[in-house]
Amino acid sequence: AQKVTQAQTEISVVEKEDVTLDCVYETRDTTYYLFWYKQPPSGELVFLIRRNSFDEQNEISGRYSWNFQKSTSSFNFTITASQVVDSAVYFCALVDTGRRALTFGSGTRLQVQP
Amino acid sequence: DAGITQSPRYKITETGRQVTLMCHQTWSHSYMFWYRQDLGHGLRLIYYSAAADITDKGEVPDGYVVSRSKTENFPLTLESATRSQTSVYFCASRDPDRATYEQYFGPGTRLTVT
């Protein structure tokens, strides 16, 4: 069975601080995809990144970076120099090739204080 | 408009009433999904459909009915609404021919059952 754990329910930081959102996953498949979505206060789901299980290279996109470690089954997300606009709920999700739907973690609410 | 739309965006209904949430996508994606979002649970799969006239249960299907007579539409019906079905409902679609497994989400429907 698949499972995604986001142990941090809520994180509060002050603007310009760096923050890391943790994601730990479980799957029996060797081929799978991991995702991060952002849900701002307006409620829509915004796709941030997709990573397949064969690509362990870390990725950086502006202030966002992702650290994928198969050895620890983790796919952590770091925001550098956080901004108030980063305040949102962030979801980590997993799909393996044997399934069709995403399995989501419970989400981490990030509050960035000015 | 191109993309995936949901209607209504907000709905208040009474316990015991039947309510249908609509989902429409313009991409002709064969896969479509319904998720519900509840605090502490992230998004959980209710039903999915691999093609017109093919549907299957997800993690939390009880109390819901789906149909898919046309590829572009995937309505979700609550036959007799209960307060526990108060939630935000997201529809999503995916193109199975693309090996990215990325799902495209609608804007969500916020349903309140009184």
Side-chain angles (χ1 to χ4, degrees):
Chain A
Q2 292 186 328
K3 186 178 179 181
V4 177
T5 301
Q6 295 181 255
Q8 304 153 307
T9 304
E10 188 161 346
I11 300 174
S12 183
V13 299
V14 177
E15 211 170 14
K16 297 185 182 178
E17 284 186 26
D18 299 346
V19 58
T20 296
L21 309 183
D22 297 333
C23 173
V24 174
Y25 62 91
E26 296 176 28
T27 178
R28 294 178 183 173
D29 208 333
T30 56
T31 303
Y32 50 89
Y33 291 79
L34 294 161
F35 298 81
W36 276 95
Y37 286 88
K38 174 182 180 179
Q39 187 178 44
S42 52
E44 74 274 21
L45 287 165
V46 178
F47 167 80
L48 294 178
I49 191 172
R50 173 190 59 252
R51 175 66 68 210
N52 73 54
S53 54
F54 298 108
D55 182 3
E56 289 194 69
Q57 200 167 22
N58 292 331
E59 181 154 342
I60 298 174
S61 175
R63 295 184 296 106
Y64 294 172
S65 62
W66 290 269
N67 180 261
F68 176 32
Q69 292 195 334
K70 287 179 74 171
S71 60
T72 56
S73 296
S74 65
F75 187 42
N76 297 336
F77 173 31
T78 296
I79 301 174
T80 302
S82 60
Q83 299 177 1
V84 173
V85 293
D86 296 326
S87 297
V89 180
Y90 291 86
F91 291 100
C92 182
L94 162 73
V95 63
D96 65 37
T97 53
R99 292 171 58 87
R100 293 163 177 163
L102 294 168
T103 298
F104 283 84
S106 55
T108 297
R109 180 177 298 278
L110 173 65
Q111 292 191 333
V112 182
Q113 309 288 350
Chain B
D1 290 88
I4 184 165
T5 57
Q6 295 182 234
S7 62
R9 295 293 314 281
Y10 304 90
K11 177 74 176 179
I12 300 174
T13 192
E14 294 177 344
T15 301
R17 289 194 179 263
Q18 182 180 82
V19 60
T20 296
L21 310 184
M22 303 302 293
C23 178
H24 175 79
Q25 52 108 352
T26 60
W27 296 301
S28 298
H29 288 169
S30 59
Y31 285 178
M32 294 188 75
F33 309 85
W34 275 107
Y35 296 87
R36 59 176 288 174
Q37 180 182 3
D38 303 292
L39 195 63
H41 292 281
L43 279 76
R44 292 180 292 175
L45 182 67
I46 305 171
Y47 269 95
Y48 69 94
S49 170
D53 298 321
I54 300 176
T55 62
D56 208 348
K57 295 179 180 179
E59 183 184 352
V60 289
D62 294 343
Y64 302 96
V65 174
V66 294
S67 62
R68 194 160 177 216
S69 56
K70 293 183 178 181
T71 299
E72 60 267 29
N73 296 324
F74 190 36
L76 175 74
T77 298
L78 288 68
E79 293 188 301
S80 178
T82 65
R83 290 200 178 98
S84 66
Q85 292 177 310
T86 293
S87 186
V88 179
Y89 292 84
F90 286 97
C91 178
S93 71
R94 176 165 81 83
D95 179 358
D97 293 331
R98 293 193 64 194
T100 60
Y101 289 79
E102 181 177 345
Q103 295 187 10
Y104 298 86
F105 285 87
T109 294
R110 183 175 294 274
L111 176 68
T112 301
V113 183
T114 61

